[in-house]
C-alpha cells in the first residue's frame, strides 16, 4: 500500500513537471539565437566596406534605439490563442506580432518592442509605406466575426497605456490593420470598440455631428487622405473608414457619413 501511494505521488510529480515545462522552449531557443546574431551585427557596425576612403572610424556619441511610433491592432482570424502562437513560432509562416492577447486576457509578449515584427505587410498610412518598421503589432484572439470579451479589452487597455507612456505614441497613431491595408484586410472586425478606446486616449474619435453644417465643396477623398488612408482604391478606403468609425460595411458615403468624415478629418488636421 505504501509503495502504491509513493508511486502515485511520483506519477503526479511527473505530470506536474510535464505541465510546467514551457511548450515553446525550442522556439524560444531559436529566438535567443536570432537576437544574439542581431546584437553581433549591431556591435560590428560600421562594416569595414562602409568606411569607404576614411582613414579611421569616428563613432558619434549621440544615438539610441529606434522606437515605435504606431500601434496596429489586428484580429487573428484563427480559432484559438494556441493556434495563433503556433503560427507565429513556425518559420515557414513568415508572420509575427509583438503581442498576442487571448480571450481570457492573457498577454503573450512575443518580440522585443524595438525589433521589427512581420505583422503589417504591404500597407500605407499617410506617407509611411513601411509600417512594420515604425509600429508595434497587437493581435487579438478573435476569428474575425466575434465580439471582444471584457477580459481581453481590459488587458489591451493596460498594454496600450504602458506602450503609450513608454514610447510617447501619439493618440492618433493607434489604428487597425485594415486602416493601413484597405484593399487587403478587414481587421479588427466591425465589433471592435474603437469609440471606447478613443475615450481612453487611444485613437481619435469624432464629436457630435447633429448641428454640423458642411462646407459647400467638401472633398471626401481629400479628407480620407488627410486622415491617413491610401486612396488609390477609393471604394476600399471608404469601406474601411466606415468599418472603423461607423461599424458599417457599405461602400457609399451618405450625407450623414460625410458629416462624420468631416469631423474625423478635423481631428487629423
Amino acid at each position: 500500500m505504501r509503495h502504491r501511494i509513493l508511486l502515485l505521488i511520483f506519477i503526479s510529480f511527473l505530470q506536474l513537471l510535464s505541465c510546467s515545462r514551457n511548450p515553446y522552449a525550442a522556439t524560444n531557443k531559436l529566438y535567443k539565437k536570432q537576437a544574439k546574431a542581431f546584437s553581433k551585427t549591431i556591435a560590428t557596425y560600421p562594416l569595414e566596406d562602409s568606411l569607404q576612403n576614411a582613414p579611421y572610424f569616428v563613432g558619434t556619441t549621440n544615438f539610441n534605439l529606434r522606437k515605435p511610433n504606431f500601434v496596429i491592432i489586428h484580429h487573428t482570424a484563427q480559432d484559438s490563442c494556441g493556434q495563433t502562437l503556433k503560427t507565429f513560432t513556425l518559420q515557414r509562416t513568415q508572420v509575427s506580432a509583438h503581442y498576442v492577447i487571448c480571450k481570457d486576457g492573457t498577454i503573450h509578449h512575443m518580440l522585443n518592442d524595438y525589433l521589427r515584427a512581420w505583422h503589417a505587410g504591404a500597407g500605407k498610412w499617410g506617407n509611411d509605406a513601411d509600417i512594420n518598421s515604425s509600429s508595434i503589432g497587437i493581435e487579438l484572439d478573435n476569428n474575425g466575426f466575434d465580439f471582444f470579451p471584457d477580459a481581453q479589452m481590459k488587458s489591451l487597455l493596460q498594454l496600450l497605456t504602458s506602450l503609450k507612456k513608454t514610447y510617447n505614441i501619439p493618440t492618433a497613431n493607434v489604428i487597425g490593420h485594415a486602416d493601413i491595408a484597405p484593399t487587403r484586410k478587414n481587421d479588427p472586425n466591425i465589433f471592435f470598440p474603437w469609440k471606447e478606446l478613443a475615450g481612453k486616449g487611444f485613437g481619435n474619435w469624432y464629436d457630435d455631428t447633429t448641428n454640423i453644417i458642411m462646407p459647400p465643396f467638401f472633398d471626401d477623398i481629400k479628407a480620407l487622405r488627410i486622415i491617413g488612408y491610401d486612396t488609390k482604391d477609393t471604394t476600399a478606403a471608404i469601406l474601411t473608414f466606415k468599418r472603423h468609425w461607423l461599424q458599417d460595411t457599405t461602400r457609399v458615403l451618405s450625407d450623414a457619413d460625410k458629416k462624420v468624415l468631416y469631423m474625423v478629418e478635423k481631428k487629423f488636421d
Side-chain angles (χ1 to χ4, degrees):
M1 184 65 179
R2 182 169 175 272
H3 291 297
R4 186 179 178 184
I5 293 174
L6 290 174
L7 178 61
L8 289 173
I9 293 173
F10 180 66
I11 291 173
S12 297
F13 172 75
L14 290 179
Q15 290 175 338
L16 180 63
L17 191 64
S18 175
C19 291
S20 64
R21 182 181 178 275
N22 189 336
Y24 298 97
T27 53
N28 286 350
K29 185 176 181 180
L30 184 58
Y31 174 100
K32 292 176 182 178
K33 182 179 179 181
Q34 290 181 218
K36 187 175 181 180
F38 282 130
S39 68
K40 286 183 178 179
T41 300
I42 293 170
T44 57
Y45 272 112
L47 301 175
E48 289 184 9
D49 59 2
S50 69
L51 292 175
Q52 299 180 6
N53 62 347
Y56 44 78
F57 168 58
V58 181
T60 179
T61 57
N62 307 307
F63 65 97
N64 57 14
L65 293 172
R66 295 182 185 273
K67 73 176 186 67
N69 192 47
F70 289 90
V71 171
I72 309 299
I73 297 176
H74 308 249
H75 65 233
T76 59
Q78 296 195 305
D79 295 327
S80 69
C81 210
Q83 184 182 11
T84 299
L85 297 179
K86 182 177 180 181
T87 297
F88 289 170
T89 52
L90 293 174
Q91 288 183 298
R92 59 179 169 79
T93 64
Q94 297 289 284
V95 289
S96 60
H98 294 88
Y99 297 88
V100 174
I101 305 181
C102 304
K103 288 186 174 70
D104 66 1
T106 301
I107 301 175
H108 293 279
H109 191 179
M110 300 193 71
L111 181 67
N112 187 301
D113 295 343
Y114 288 102
L115 296 179
R116 185 178 185 271
W118 301 342
H119 65 97
K124 185 179 181 183
W125 189 249
N127 294 321
D128 190 340
D130 184 9
I131 305 297
N132 276 335
S133 293
S134 59
S135 67
I136 285 177
I138 301 176
E139 291 272 0
L140 303 177
D141 178 25
N142 186 295
N143 62 14
F145 304 99
D146 291 341
F147 287 91
F148 297 82
D150 290 342
Q152 189 176 49
M153 291 305 303
K154 182 179 179 180
S155 290
L156 174 62
L157 288 169
Q158 290 174 344
L159 176 58
L160 289 174
T161 299
S162 174
L163 294 176
K164 186 175 183 180
K165 180 180 179 181
T166 302
Y167 303 114
N168 196 29
I169 293 172
T171 296
N173 287 6
V174 178
I175 52 179
H177 195 190
D179 294 316
I180 65 166
T183 61
R184 300 187 304 109
K185 297 295 180 178
N186 62 9
D187 55 315
N189 70 42
I190 59 171
F191 300 120
F192 186 75
W194 285 111
K195 184 178 180 180
E196 177 186 338
L197 250 68
K200 301 290 186 180
F202 309 112
N204 280 337
W205 200 251
Y206 56 92
D207 299 325
D208 182 27
T209 64
T210 303
N211 298 314
I212 293 298
I213 299 175
M214 295 290 290
F217 301 105
F218 177 64
D219 187 336
D220 50 6
I221 303 305
K222 180 180 178 181
L224 288 168
R225 282 198 299 269
I226 289 173
I227 293 169
Y229 286 103
D230 183 352
T231 57
K232 287 182 181 178
D233 185 329
T234 55
T235 301
I238 289 170
L239 172 60
T240 301
F241 169 82
K242 294 186 70 172
R243 290 180 67 92
H244 184 131
W245 273 279
L246 295 161
Q247 293 188 309
D248 185 359
T249 58
T250 57
R251 301 169 182 267
V252 179
L253 288 170
S254 67
D255 289 341
D257 297 339
K258 289 181 180 180
K259 285 187 176 183
V260 172
L261 174 57
Y262 173 65
M263 294 304 289
V264 174
E265 176 200 358
K266 291 171 71 68
K267 298 289 184 178
F268 287 84
D269 278 342

